[in-house]
Amino acid sequence: MKVIRARYAGACYGVQRALSMANDVVARGEAACTLGPLIHNPQVVDDLAARGVSVACCVEDVADGDVMIIRSHGVTPQVRDAAASRGLAVLDATCPHVARAQKAAENLARQGCHVVVVGEAGHPEVEGLTAYARGAGGAVDVVAGPGELPDGLCDPVGVVVQTTQMQEQLDAVVEALRARGLSPVVKDTVCFATRQRQEAAAELAQTVDAMVIIGGRNSSNTTRLAEICAKACERSFHVEAADEVDPAWFRDCRTVGVTAGASTPEDQIQAIEDVLRAL
């Protein structure tokens, strides 16, 4: 069985940056914790914990003297203020693309726009985008798609999008707003790396007998990849680790494609590719 990796797959710049920052803290021997999981990859989070970087649920749970690492998804301004009020040492591992989206949401609100955030309600990145817009005095709605747009919207409307969303979701929301006669100010903050991975996964899934999508089940961008692959390839399987691979999935397969979410390190991809090649 031939194993083919998508042209773009695996850990993006923002994730690699966050991991490098956390590893530097470990190498210096400093006590540290991340505020929420550093990235949405359970194996990576477990590895950090084994090396002394714990996970705190809130600022109040951070021990005095610990370096508080802000995860790649970012945090709300209120969380930053709470850390400052305690005098905590803060290491900001927010993905630069997420920081750009936060600034876009804030600026739209400052311009007087009713801000529409296209994304998953409750996701930490979306909570941050929402908080930045509200902190600038804006009204905000979070929608997963055009069907969730509230009634009564009127110009000016601004649109910002969770960085790991599919481009099609943003386009559908913008089209629905324009169909209402509105003229939304659109900040396309879909991460370029996310877009690359989605396009490469869709392209590969159309040409193989089966697809394997590698990454945390709590990872938004990996979930998007799995959805994209399933549309093009009936035998698409989302796994986190090599021991989840079932040989029965690939009966009569001549080719299997592999892609991985932006929070999936190279060693995890390689381990699963090795298993597939050994079938």
Side-chain angles (χ1 to χ4, degrees):
M1 185 172 68
K2 186 176 182 180
V3 178
I4 307 168
R5 188 187 297 197
R7 288 183 302 118
Y8 300 101
C12 64
Y13 165 75
V15 165
Q16 291 172 339
R17 174 178 175 271
L19 288 174
S20 177
M21 294 172 75
N23 287 330
D24 286 347
V25 171
V26 172
R28 292 195 298 267
E30 298 180 60
C33 68
T34 62
L35 195 62
L38 181 69
I39 62 174
H40 279 158
N41 186 296
Q43 289 78 23
V44 168
V45 172
D46 289 346
D47 176 66
L48 285 171
R51 293 188 290 137
V53 182
S54 59
V55 177
C57 294
C58 59
V59 174
E60 291 72 25
D61 290 340
V62 179
D64 291 335
D66 275 11
V67 175
M68 188 187 87
I69 304 175
I70 295 177
R71 58 185 167 183
S72 58
H73 301 99
V75 294
T76 67
Q78 292 79 7
V79 167
R80 291 180 182 276
D81 291 345
S85 69
R86 283 193 55 193
L88 295 174
V90 175
L91 184 63
D92 189 356
T94 304
C95 170
H97 295 294
V98 172
R100 180 171 65 92
Q102 291 173 342
K103 180 59 69 174
E106 182 178 47
N107 287 342
L108 286 171
R110 291 196 189 283
Q111 293 165 19
C113 292
H114 184 122
V115 180
V116 174
V117 178
V118 182
E120 299 174 42
H123 188 282
E125 180 187 333
V126 172
E127 290 180 347
L129 297 179
T130 303
Y132 271 89
R134 287 190 175 134
V140 186
D141 283 291
V142 176
V143 302
E148 296 184 4
L149 285 168
D151 295 330
L153 286 174
C154 58
D155 283 329
V157 173
V159 180
V160 68
V161 59
Q162 182 181 352
T163 58
T164 54
Q165 284 291 298
M166 290 187 285
Q167 186 69 41
E168 290 80 359
Q169 287 296 98
L170 172 62
D171 293 344
V173 169
V174 172
E175 183 178 342
L177 289 169
R178 289 174 176 159
R180 296 186 184 187
L182 301 173
S183 301
V185 180
V186 182
K187 300 297 182 181
D188 185 347
T189 49
V190 175
C191 171
F192 181 63
T194 296
R195 191 173 302 165
Q196 282 184 319
R197 281 153 182 73
Q198 291 175 354
E199 291 174 354
E203 179 182 296
L204 180 59
Q206 296 173 43
T207 67
V208 294
D209 298 318
M211 281 292 296
V212 175
I213 303 92
I214 307 167
R217 291 186 175 84
N218 61 340
S219 164
S220 174
N221 72 83
T222 307
T223 300
R224 296 290 87 71
L225 288 177
E227 293 170 352
I228 288 167
C229 290
K231 289 179 181 179
C233 181
E234 184 177 350
R235 285 199 273 187
S236 292
F237 308 99
H238 181 176
V239 301
E240 288 187 351
D243 59 8
E244 296 178 25
V245 175
D246 184 348
W249 294 342
F250 310 102
R251 189 173 292 116
D252 302 324
C253 285
R254 293 185 178 183
T255 56
V256 56
V258 173
T259 188
S263 51
T264 308
E266 175 62 25
D267 62 332
Q268 294 180 9
I269 304 172
Q270 190 62 58
I272 290 175
E273 286 183 339
D274 290 346
V275 169
L276 292 172
R277 289 193 176 95
L279 294 179

